Amino acid sequence: MLSRPKPGESEVDLLRFQNQFLAAGAAPAVQLVKKGSRRSGDADLDQPLLQDGRDVVMLDNLPDSPPALVPAPPKRARPSPGCPLPQDEDPEERLSRHDQHITAVLTKIIERDTSSVVVNLPVPSGVAFPPVFHRSRERQGKPAASGKRSIFAQEIAARRMSEGRTPLVGEVVPNLNPPEGAVTFEAPTLRDKGSQLPGSSHSFQGPHVITGKGLRGQEAEQEAQTIHEENVARLQAMSAEEILQEQQQLLAQLDPSLVAFLRSHIHTCEQAGEKATKKERPGGPSIHVTKEEPIMSALAGESRKEDKLEPEAPVLALPMTPHKEWLHMDTVELEKLHWTQDLPPLRRQQTQERMQARFSLQGELLAPDVDLPTYLGLHHHGEEAERAGYSLQELFHLTRSQVSQQRVLALHVLSQVIGRAQAGEFGDRLVGSVLCLLLDAGFLFLLRFSLDDRVDGVIAAAIRALRALLVAPGDEELLDSTFSWYHGAAVFPLMPSQEDKEEEGEEEEPPTEKAKKKTPEEEGRPPPDLARHDVIKGLLATNLLPRLRYVLEVTCPGPSVVLDILAVLIRVARHSLESATRVLECPRLIETIVREFLPTSWSPVGMGPTSSLHKVPCAGAMKLLRVLASAGRNIAARLLSGFDLRSRLCRFIAEAPQELVLPPEEAETLSTEAFRLWAVAASYGQGGDLYRELYPVLMRALQAVPTELSSHSPQPLSMQRMASMFTLLTQLTLAASSTYHEPISDSAETHVPATPSSITWAQVSGLQPLVEPCLRQTLKLLPRPDMWNALGPVPSACLLFLGAYYQAWSQQPALCPEDWLQDMEHLSEELLLPLLSQPSLASLWDSLRHCSPLCNPLTCTSAREALPSLVSLGCAGGYPPLSLAGSASPFPFLTALLSLVNTMVRIHKGLCCQLATVLAAPGLQNYLLQCVAPGAAPPVTPFSAWALRHENHLQYLVLSLAQKAAILQPVLATNAALHHAVALALLGRLLPGSEYIAQELLLNCVFRLEFLPEGASGGPEAADFSDGLSLGNSQDPPCGRGALLVQACQDLPSIRSCYLTHCSLARASLLASQALYRGELQRVPALLLPVPKEPLLPTDWPFQPLIHLYHQASDTPSGLPPTDTMGPAMRVLQWVLVLESWRSEALWAVPPAARLARLMCVFLVDSELFRETSIQCLVAALLARLCQPQVLPSLNLDCPLPGLTSFPDLYSSFLDHFEAVSFGNHLFGALVLLPLQRRFSVTLRLSLFGDHVGALRALGLPLTQVLLIPTGPAKDTLHWPRGGSFEQWRALLPVALECYTGPPEDNLALLQLYFRTLVTGTLRSCWCPVLYAVAVAHVNSFIFSQDPKSSDEVKAARRNMLQKTWLLADEGLRQHLLHYKLTNSSLPEGFELYSQLPPLRQQYLQRLTSGVLQNVASEN
């Protein structure tokens, strides 16, 4: 026998012992036996033991999102391998028969009747909580136990000691002294043995079934006896029929085996009872057992006396009675058992009172009165327990739970709520915005904290909620579907405007000071402050990107989490160039995405859901790289060179989507995104080397397009892939152009110098014969609207390619122009002209009005849940087919068609006559008329900026074609006035990124004489005739409006030069826009446009040069030289007069008050400018247009004016200037008088009569209404000599005198100023006849008014003023003030007088004057 190892022996000795044992072949002293399972019994004892006995739990199919809380389906029995079920036996019935679960017992419990039990109600107490035990309180009379005891142990011991005297609160305790209301039961005696139930031979001597087993000692017998007594009492109160009925009901409900067991047990107990009663004596002691006391709250049931005082107090009814013997139920805490009660009845809303919003687990808003079952899990909350659903506050509380499942559930519900809110499902049922409420409550940072959780489920739920918050559901689908539109790859950044309230007061700082300011992050602003203005910036400040990289790289989450992270990164990249750069420069983020989700080799993926996306190509990763590349050419170059994207593009483009071992939809989307990424790189002139490698692949794909279009019904994903391929070919063709324009200015930081392209014309010259058949095949489907709409952007992409092809072809200097001219003629004859004559194309023109955002401005309104700090296009609910973004929109195809026509007409001018017929389409004319019709313009929202940009493209191409037709074919230039109106309206709507279009409109459309047909068709004569009719004089004035308009038409080139100088745009932005629209790829800085804060030009852009002059004069103390002000001011006034006369709709956006303020700037620019005769004629003509009866009522000087902080301040400066340099100029005085009308603010009149009373001496404007006519010798021309006496001029009063005198003035301070200027002689009729008449009228109305509601101060001032008037020494003024009757401009004084005062006024005057005479007599 081998000996045991000893302590001193080494491992060598142990190995030697083992070899000896194995060589001897002896049996081991111990044998290891694996225990068999219950189902298989000992069937597997003979099986060999496993090498590793550990239990390993595999969760391969664990879902990423938590399961819905719905009732689980009933379980079905599964037979074990060791014990097969009989063939004829149902496993479910066998399981139900042998099930010993607690539910098998609880389902057979019948609640006893407690209707006859006396209920002792608790007494309410004013104390909210039980008294708190303090350590300083010593307990007397309690022996100290051995050792140190805790406070909790001392409390328990004290309660146990007091059990004999005072029962514990809420505890079922036997009481030996029967209190009032106790049920008394005596042991049966000989007399009771004969007491039996009717119809029964059984006598009750004691309990047979309930034995009290499990209770302690004496309590067990007492409890069993108490239950037995209650049962006997209830049976004695029932009749025989009721007993039999209940017996039959119980027998039908109980299991037959249980009934047999109870009967046998009762028979055995009866036999034992009969033997025991024979030995007992005839009488026995009576035992008093109290009824089971109801459970009360700890504060309401302290004494029985209080219970008797208020028996109506509510009793806490629990579904079961807690016992002390139950686990942790020694002390019943009733506050924690409230949730076990039945739900209170649902409270019906009787009023319009607002109630707290509650949501289901799927994020649905539940109605306040909805009644849902409790098994749905929607009633487990504290407040309003009867209402189903969870409030946002309760969900926030759950997100901080220690149980990870509750945190996951809360985040999941919140993400569902956000998704439904963004989809607009809540509508007007909620007060306020759900997203605003969540962000104000800190939901953004709650998600960020949840991302740092250790539980993968919490991280997944947080990322899903973050995606629901940041990524609008329909935004990406809209931008992807319009990628192949005309300049559809260029998009606005989803970044909020930086015009915050905090920065509004800093607008007046110089630009250099603003440039020196640091960004908010550089100032160290905390993330909450950043997130309040910009959610994305606030998130980036919390190191979101490194955390997402860690989740992708380390935790390897499931597919849904990966897609959510990619969607969040795409949204961050769309925010701005800065955010895209941070995504690119985040350590190992892009490397991880490219390595894990864009591998060049992978295992085949089936149709079903995949367990992991790692090492599998993902279209979302390719789209992220495409969005990053769109942010700037430098980012695109870094992506192509630093992450080996060339090999990956070759890998995913070289193979057809059906050949990739991926799900079909994922393969199509991945191939589409690969084409788009390459197209974005080609937009910067990059990625040309790939074209040589993939040339055979592209040729094979192009050749297969016509066959695929003719043999299969169009599929959306396939059409998007085709359109992306055509867009790629368009950019590659533009890259083959050989003309480059170097930037002229020092803009190296924005534009890189042009470098030769790696693609030559010979490499792309063979593409047109392959693309043209594709276009022909698509145009065959134009008469079939369903099939045409299914094609998507494919026809538009083909047309755009042909336009780029002819543009690049015409720029090849080594080729013969005759070749491309003949080719364009061939295309025009065989394709374009038949297309223009098709009725189907006419229907597309007709549908423009229905899809236009300009014609339907309500389609551009912001969504209800739109946040200023989180920009979204608001496409969650989708768009109808007949809209600009809908599937039936005509805008992409018609815009591409107009682009091709413009390109061909610019290259081949001989085609203009044929192709310009497209402008005569009735649908296009009706659309343009509705665009210039008066109406509310769409507000500038993220979606309206995107939609209006595409609509502006169509209108610009129409105007460009109309301008070419007007030059080349003047006879065919119809509807020139309409096109000019459209150009003016378009110029005021253009947003940042369209600087090139604005410049082209100013150069070629707005100031072109061909677009002003009124100048050559009697427009000036009609203007003079209209003025003559309005003034009641048929004679043409020498310098009338007609002569001014004729001169303005002759000076249009000078006017255009003036506006190009003063309305110039930022050069860097202009060059970037020019490169984008001209196709100069080497100079395109980015496809991310500037933030659309406001239009490029202000609404009052016609006055812009004049405003610049005013600001320059204000900044220059000595003023500007007259030579620098005369020309621009005259050109502005000429152009504004043209617009006022022939294009009045172009100035509808400028209020009349703003126009008046701009005219006043003419007099503030220079002290000598307004004396120029030509300037005075133009200002007088504009003032006459402003004072027309149909315009004057809309003149409102009390409302805020654009570009003006305060009109009273401007008017005060105007009065200062008038006092200093006017010298009584009548035109200057007319502008001073116009704001003094009674309906305007009294501040303006107080400014004149209070602070600038000296100006009254120079306001000599006469009352006679005579036109402003020069009386000098040179009155037949517009260029009068400067100087001359001002007595040569007479001006008309702009408005009727009644506008100044009615209604009567009620401002006491102004009335006193009126009276003072009259009495002191400051205001005289010979100096200022207009204001003299106004002051006399108001003073007369005031002194004779007898309003009983006037205050004592007003009455005293009225008496005082009348008395002073009566005592005036100036008889003329006294006569005017007392005998004023009404205004009359034909009289020299401007008003009529009473020959004798009316009786009422005479009596009133006598009463006051008699008192004055008595006072004078008494003083004498």
Side-chain angles (χ1 to χ4, degrees):
M1 180 177 180
L2 298 176
S3 61
R4 292 180 177 274
K6 296 179 176 54
E9 295 175 346
S10 62
E11 294 183 359
V12 179
D13 298 327
L14 295 179
L15 292 175
R16 188 179 69 253
F17 294 155
Q18 180 180 356
N19 295 331
Q20 293 177 3
F21 176 79
L22 296 176
V30 179
Q31 183 177 4
L32 297 178
V33 178
K34 183 176 180 181
K35 184 178 180 181
S37 62
R38 295 183 178 179
R39 293 186 178 183
S40 59
D42 298 332
D44 53 352
L45 290 177
D46 298 335
Q47 297 179 0
L49 299 178
L50 296 175
Q51 298 296 331
D52 191 358
R54 294 180 299 173
D55 294 330
V56 180
V57 180
M58 302 299 293
L59 300 177
D60 295 335
N61 297 325
L62 184 64
D64 298 328
S65 58
L69 297 181
V70 297
K75 296 182 179 179
R76 295 186 177 272
R78 179 181 297 175
S80 59
C83 301
L85 292 175
Q87 297 293 333
D88 56 347
E89 185 174 3
D90 190 356
E92 186 175 357
E93 295 180 359
R94 179 184 177 92
L95 180 62
S96 301
R97 185 168 62 253
H98 294 280
D99 188 14
Q100 298 299 327
H101 193 262
I102 185 64
T103 56
V105 181
L106 293 178
T107 54
K108 297 180 176 62
I109 290 180
I110 300 176
E111 185 179 0
R112 63 183 179 181
D113 186 12
T114 58
S115 59
S116 60
V117 179
V118 179
V119 179
N120 295 324
L121 301 177
V123 178
S125 174
V127 183
F129 297 96
V132 181
F133 173 75
H134 297 278
R135 295 177 61 91
S136 60
R137 184 173 61 191
E138 297 181 357
R139 299 185 177 275
Q140 303 294 337
K142 295 183 180 180
S146 59
K148 185 177 180 180
R149 304 176 62 188
S150 64
I151 298 177
F152 179 74
Q154 295 176 18
E155 285 291 320
I156 294 301
R159 291 198 178 193
R160 288 181 177 175
M161 291 179 60
S162 60
E163 283 181 358
R165 300 187 302 272
T166 305
L168 293 177
V169 178
E171 188 177 349
V172 182
V173 180
N175 194 348
L176 299 180
N177 298 322
E180 183 179 358
V183 178
T184 305
F185 177 78
E186 297 183 356
T189 60
L190 293 176
R191 180 186 59 185
D192 298 327
K193 290 181 180 180
S195 60
Q196 299 177 354
L197 293 177
S200 175
S201 60
H202 182 76
S203 60
F204 300 95
Q205 299 178 357
H208 299 299
V209 179
I210 302 176
T211 61
K213 183 178 180 181
L215 300 178
R216 294 180 299 181
Q218 186 70 18
E219 294 181 1
E221 299 178 2
Q222 293 178 359
E223 288 295 329
Q225 190 66 31
T226 301
I227 297 174
H228 174 67
E229 291 171 3
E230 293 179 359
N231 294 336
V232 171
R234 182 173 182 180
L235 289 175
Q236 289 178 352
M238 298 172 66
S239 62
E241 292 78 6
E242 294 176 350
I243 293 176
L244 292 176
Q245 183 179 359
E246 292 292 337
Q247 183 181 13
Q248 295 297 329
Q249 185 175 0
L250 288 175
L251 291 176
Q253 293 178 353
L254 297 178
D255 194 340
S257 60
L258 181 60
V259 174
F261 166 75
L262 293 176
R263 286 177 175 174
S264 62
H265 184 68
I266 293 174
H267 180 67
T268 305
C269 293
E270 286 179 351
Q271 293 179 354
E274 290 177 357
K275 295 180 181 178
T277 52
K278 293 179 181 178
K279 300 179 181 179
E280 291 181 358
R281 57 192 181 187
S286 63
I287 303 175
H288 305 281
V289 182
T290 60
K291 294 172 59 179
E292 190 175 348
E293 295 181 0
I295 299 178
M296 306 175 187
S297 62
L299 297 178
E302 295 181 353
S303 62
R304 298 179 181 274
K305 295 181 180 180
E306 296 180 278
D307 294 344
K308 296 178 181 179
L309 292 177
E310 294 187 25
E312 294 85 3
V315 180
L316 183 61
L318 301 178
M320 62 184 68
T321 303
H323 294 280
K324 292 171 55 178
E325 286 73 16
W326 293 358
L327 186 63
H328 302 308
M329 294 298 290
D330 297 334
T331 301
V332 180
E333 301 181 50
L334 298 177
E335 293 82 0
K336 297 182 180 180
L337 295 177
H338 276 282
W339 67 273
T340 62
Q341 291 182 282
D342 292 336
L343 290 176
L346 189 63
R347 179 169 58 93
R348 301 293 179 180
Q349 188 176 5
Q350 302 295 336
T351 63
Q352 297 295 331
E353 179 185 0
R354 297 175 180 175
M355 304 185 70
Q356 192 175 28
R358 295 192 173 275
F359 304 90
S360 67
L361 297 182
Q362 287 74 36
E364 300 171 345
L365 180 64
L366 299 179
D369 54 351
V370 65
D371 191 5
L372 298 177
T374 56
Y375 63 77
L376 295 178
L378 299 177
H379 293 80
H380 295 271
H381 48 75
E383 299 179 357
E384 300 178 333
E386 71 278 4
R387 290 187 57 198
Y390 291 88
S391 65
L392 295 179
Q393 182 180 1
E394 292 163 353
L395 292 173
F396 264 70
H397 183 71
L398 275 181
T399 57
R400 300 189 297 271
S401 173
Q402 295 182 356
V403 183
S404 61
Q405 290 86 347
Q406 291 183 348
R407 300 199 298 272
V408 172
L409 177 63
L411 292 173
H412 172 72
V413 176
L414 287 173
S415 65
Q416 295 289 332
V417 170
I418 292 173
R420 294 181 183 275
Q422 290 183 340
E425 293 188 10
F426 300 149
D428 297 333
R429 293 187 293 170
L430 294 178
V431 178
S433 171
V434 174
L435 297 184
C436 288
L437 181 62
L438 289 174
L439 291 181
D440 293 342
F443 178 66
L444 189 67
F445 299 99
L446 175 65
L447 295 180
R448 181 60 187 91
F449 299 151
S450 300
L451 286 178
D452 295 333
D453 203 290
R454 297 181 178 179
V455 182
D456 293 342
V458 177
I459 296 176
I463 293 175
R464 173 57 60 88
L466 188 63
R467 176 181 181 176
L469 177 65
L470 300 182
V471 183
D475 289 2
E476 293 300 325
E477 288 79 357
L478 175 65
L479 296 178
D480 291 344
S481 61
T482 59
F483 179 84
S484 298
W485 285 19
Y486 180 75
H487 293 293
V491 295
F492 290 108
L494 299 182
M495 178 181 179
S497 174
Q498 298 300 323
E499 296 176 352
D500 299 330
K501 294 182 179 180
E502 301 175 359
E503 301 177 0
E504 288 180 357
E506 305 173 359
E507 293 181 354
E508 298 180 358
E509 297 183 1
T512 55
E513 296 296 330
K514 289 185 179 181
K516 293 179 182 178
K517 285 190 174 182
K518 297 181 179 180
T519 60
E521 294 186 16
E522 292 174 348
E523 294 177 358
R525 295 175 60 182
D529 292 346
L530 291 174
R532 191 175 299 111
H533 304 294
D534 195 330
V535 171
I536 300 298
K537 282 188 176 181
L539 277 174
L540 293 179
T542 61
N543 294 328
L544 173 70
L545 299 179
R547 181 58 183 173
L548 295 180
R549 191 270 312 161
Y550 174 83
V551 174
L552 287 176
E553 185 179 17
V554 179
T555 63
C556 296
S560 63
V561 179
V562 172
L563 295 178
D564 292 342
I565 292 177
L566 293 176
V568 170
L569 292 177
I570 291 172
R571 176 61 182 86
V572 172
R574 289 196 185 275
H575 176 265
S576 61
L577 174 61
E578 176 189 359
S579 301
T581 305
R582 295 186 63 173
V583 172
L584 177 67
E585 295 178 350
C586 180
R588 301 200 313 276
L589 177 60
I590 302 300
E591 291 90 337
T592 302
I593 292 175
V594 173
R595 181 183 66 253
E596 298 294 335
F597 307 111
L598 291 175
T600 55
S601 61
W602 62 91
S603 301
V605 180
M607 291 289 296
T610 59
S611 59
S612 176
L613 281 183
H614 286 72
K615 303 300 180 183
V616 176
C618 179
M622 187 68 73
K623 180 180 178 180
L624 172 62
L625 299 181
R626 187 251 298 179
V627 175
L628 288 175
S630 301
R633 64 181 306 115
N634 294 331
I635 295 180
R638 293 174 61 180
L639 287 174
L640 288 177
S641 60
F643 300 97
D644 194 22
L645 289 188
R646 285 180 169 84
S647 62
R648 285 168 168 79
L649 288 176
C650 293
R651 175 68 176 85
F652 300 124
I653 293 178
E655 291 188 79
Q658 57 271 18
E659 297 177 1
L660 297 174
V661 284
L662 292 172
E665 293 185 0
E666 183 69 16
E668 287 278 1
T669 309
L670 180 62
S671 179
T672 302
E673 290 299 333
F675 277 118
R676 289 173 179 171
L677 175 58
W678 190 6
V680 169
S683 300
Y684 307 126
Q686 303 170 4
D689 52 343
L690 292 175
Y691 180 70
R692 292 189 297 269
E693 300 179 14
L694 297 176
Y695 182 81
V697 176
L698 295 176
M699 295 300 104
R700 185 171 61 251
L702 278 177
Q703 294 172 359
V705 168
T707 305
E708 186 175 354
L709 290 174
S710 60
S711 59
H712 304 286
S713 60
Q715 300 296 326
L717 292 179
S718 179
M719 295 301 103
Q720 289 292 335
R721 183 178 61 85
M722 289 183 189
S724 301
M725 181 179 62
F726 288 127
T727 303
L728 168 64
L729 297 178
T730 302
Q731 300 301 326
L732 293 175
T733 303
L734 290 175
S737 176
S738 61
T739 58
Y740 305 104
H741 304 277
E742 295 291 341
I744 302 174
S745 65
D746 50 349
S747 57
E749 67 275 6
T750 307
H751 299 276
V752 297
T755 57
S757 175
S758 59
I759 301 178
T760 62
W761 173 250
Q763 295 173 341
V764 298
S765 59
L767 296 177
Q768 190 263 352
L770 297 176
V771 176
E772 187 175 340
C774 301
L775 177 61
R776 294 179 183 274
Q777 186 65 35
T778 58
L779 293 180
K780 293 179 181 179
L781 302 177
L782 182 59
R784 303 168 59 183
D786 297 338
M787 299 293 292
W788 174 259
N789 297 335
L791 289 176
V794 173
S796 306
C798 293
L799 290 173
L800 293 175
F801 168 79
L802 292 178
Y805 180 82
Y806 288 119
Q807 176 182 343
W809 193 0
S810 64
Q811 294 175 356
Q812 305 303 317
L815 300 180
C816 178
E818 186 179 355
D819 296 337
W820 66 70
L821 294 178
Q822 292 180 355
D823 195 272
M824 283 188 289
E825 292 176 359
H826 176 75
L827 179 67
S828 175
E829 293 176 359
E830 294 190 0
L831 185 65
L832 293 182
L833 292 179
L835 174 64
L836 296 180
S837 60
Q838 285 191 19
S840 302
L841 185 66
S843 64
L844 291 181
W845 293 114
D846 294 336
S847 60
L848 280 176
R849 289 182 299 163
H850 307 288
C851 301
S852 167
L854 282 176
C855 302
N856 305 277
L858 295 180
T859 59
C860 296
T861 55
S862 300
R864 181 179 177 85
E865 294 292 340
L867 297 175
S869 59
L870 187 61
V871 177
S872 169
L873 297 180
C875 305
Y879 288 95
L882 206 59
S883 62
L884 187 139
S887 59
S889 174
F891 277 91
F893 179 75
L894 295 180
T895 304
L897 177 62
L898 289 172
S899 175
L900 175 61
V901 171
N902 270 278
T903 302
M904 297 177 65
V905 170
R906 184 178 68 251
I907 299 172
H908 193 330
K909 296 179 176 56
L911 298 177
C912 179
C913 181
Q914 301 175 2
L915 298 180
T917 55
V918 69
L919 299 176
L924 177 61
Q925 301 300 323
N926 296 332
Y927 162 71
L928 296 179
L929 285 172
Q930 190 167 352
C931 287
V932 298
V940 180
T941 61
F943 175 75
S944 69
W946 176 87
L948 290 178
R949 179 173 177 268
H950 289 285
E951 187 165 11
N952 294 342
H953 287 163
L954 183 138
Q955 294 186 5
Y956 164 69
L957 294 172
V958 169
L959 295 175
S960 179
L961 182 60
Q963 180 261 334
K964 295 180 180 66
I967 296 176
L968 300 176
Q969 302 290 337
V971 181
L972 299 178
T974 57
N975 300 311
L978 175 60
H979 294 155
H980 191 241
V982 173
L984 292 172
L986 177 60
L987 187 61
R989 280 197 317 268
L990 292 177
L991 295 172
S994 302
E995 291 82 1
Y996 173 75
I997 297 180
Q999 187 188 40
E1000 289 295 311
L1001 290 177
L1002 290 175
L1003 280 173
N1004 302 321
C1005 295
V1006 174
F1007 303 103
R1008 183 164 292 278
L1009 186 60
E1010 292 83 1
F1011 282 173
L1012 289 171
E1014 294 87 351
S1017 60
E1021 292 79 4
D1024 289 337
F1025 183 72
S1026 174
D1027 292 342
L1029 290 179
S1030 63
L1031 296 175
N1033 185 8
S1034 59
Q1035 297 180 358
D1036 296 338
C1039 75
R1041 189 158 54 99
L1044 297 176
L1045 291 173
V1046 171
Q1047 187 65 36
C1049 292
Q1050 296 175 1
D1051 294 341
L1052 277 179
S1054 301
I1055 296 175
R1056 180 180 63 179
S1057 176
C1058 173
Y1059 277 92
L1060 287 175
T1061 302
H1062 290 85
C1063 296
S1064 59
L1065 305 170
R1067 183 166 180 80
S1069 302
L1070 178 59
L1071 291 177
S1073 177
Q1074 184 181 22
L1076 182 64
Y1077 282 97
R1078 285 186 177 180
E1080 301 169 1
L1081 306 184
Q1082 302 295 336
R1083 295 169 49 201
V1084 175
L1087 296 180
L1088 199 63
L1089 303 174
V1091 180
K1093 299 179 182 179
E1094 58 185 2
L1096 288 174
L1097 296 178
T1099 55
D1100 60 343
W1101 67 268
F1103 298 92
Q1104 199 69 17
L1106 189 59
I1107 296 175
H1108 286 173
L1109 292 178
Y1110 170 73
H1111 288 304
Q1112 291 177 9
S1114 302
D1115 298 338
T1116 306
S1118 60
L1120 296 176
T1123 56
D1124 295 340
T1125 59
M1126 175 64 184
M1130 183 175 177
R1131 303 311 173 196
V1132 169
L1133 295 177
Q1134 285 180 318
W1135 180 243
V1136 173
L1137 181 61
V1138 170
L1139 297 181
E1140 286 277 7
S1141 302
W1142 295 334
R1143 301 289 182 268
S1144 58
E1145 64 275 3
L1147 295 176
W1148 282 340
V1150 185
R1155 295 182 232 169
L1156 175 63
R1158 272 60 175 175
L1159 286 181
M1160 295 168 67
C1161 291
V1162 176
F1163 297 84
L1164 297 176
V1165 167
D1166 185 22
S1167 59
E1168 300 292 334
L1169 179 63
F1170 68 93
R1171 299 182 184 181
E1172 298 291 340
T1173 307
S1174 57
I1175 297 294
Q1176 290 202 13
C1177 286
L1178 291 169
V1179 172
L1182 291 174
L1183 184 60
R1185 300 292 299 173
L1186 197 60
C1187 296
Q1188 287 181 336
Q1190 62 269 23
V1191 179
L1192 193 60
S1194 60
L1195 182 65
N1196 185 9
L1197 302 179
D1198 299 332
C1199 64
L1201 300 178
L1204 196 63
T1205 56
S1206 172
F1207 186 83
D1209 294 342
L1210 176 66
Y1211 188 69
S1212 179
S1213 302
F1214 194 71
L1215 290 177
D1216 290 336
H1217 207 67
F1218 178 78
E1219 284 186 280
V1221 300
S1222 69
F1223 296 101
N1225 182 272
H1226 289 175
L1227 182 61
F1228 208 153
L1231 287 172
V1232 171
L1233 291 176
L1234 187 60
L1236 298 178
Q1237 299 178 52
R1238 176 64 181 87
R1239 61 191 179 98
F1240 296 141
S1241 175
V1242 70
T1243 307
L1244 304 176
R1245 299 188 290 277
L1246 288 173
S1247 178
L1248 175 61
F1249 283 90
D1251 300 334
H1252 304 87
V1253 68
L1256 298 175
R1257 180 67 177 82
L1259 281 173
L1261 188 69
L1263 292 170
T1264 54
Q1265 299 186 1
V1266 182
L1267 280 174
L1268 181 64
I1269 303 174
T1271 59
K1275 58 183 180 180
D1276 294 333
T1277 177
L1278 290 177
H1279 301 283
W1280 298 269
R1282 298 175 66 249
S1285 62
F1286 288 96
E1287 287 76 8
Q1288 298 175 347
W1289 297 90
R1290 302 187 67 190
L1292 65 98
L1293 183 65
V1295 294
L1297 191 60
E1298 288 77 8
C1299 296
Y1300 295 87
T1301 59
E1305 184 64 60
D1306 56 357
N1307 186 274
L1308 182 59
L1310 181 58
L1311 289 169
Q1312 292 174 345
L1313 289 176
Y1314 282 160
F1315 187 73
R1316 186 175 66 180
T1317 55
L1318 291 171
V1319 172
T1320 59
T1322 307
L1323 181 60
R1324 298 182 181 180
S1325 177
C1326 58
W1327 292 345
C1328 186
V1330 176
L1331 293 184
Y1332 179 83
V1334 172
V1336 168
H1338 285 300
V1339 172
N1340 174 268
S1341 176
F1342 175 70
I1343 61 178
F1344 284 108
S1345 63
Q1346 300 181 18
D1347 187 4
K1349 299 181 181 179
S1350 301
S1351 62
D1352 295 338
E1353 181 185 4
V1354 173
K1355 292 179 180 178
R1358 183 186 301 121
R1359 289 193 302 267
N1360 185 23
M1361 194 175 296
L1362 183 57
Q1363 292 172 359
K1364 290 182 179 180
T1365 303
W1366 173 258
L1367 298 177
L1368 280 175
D1370 188 351
E1371 284 295 332
L1373 178 60
R1374 179 173 175 272
Q1375 184 75 9
H1376 289 169
L1377 290 178
L1378 294 179
H1379 291 264
Y1380 171 83
K1381 182 179 181 180
L1382 52 86
T1383 59
N1384 188 349
S1385 301
S1386 61
L1387 298 178
E1389 296 84 3
F1391 50 84
E1392 298 179 5
L1393 297 176
Y1394 284 110
S1395 59
Q1396 186 177 0
L1397 285 178
L1400 292 179
R1401 289 193 176 187
Q1402 186 68 32
Q1403 295 175 6
Y1404 179 67
L1405 181 62
Q1406 289 178 358
R1407 287 198 305 269
L1408 291 180
T1409 55
S1410 61
V1412 173
L1413 295 176
Q1414 293 177 3
N1415 294 335
V1416 173
S1418 62
E1419 291 178 0
N1420 295 332

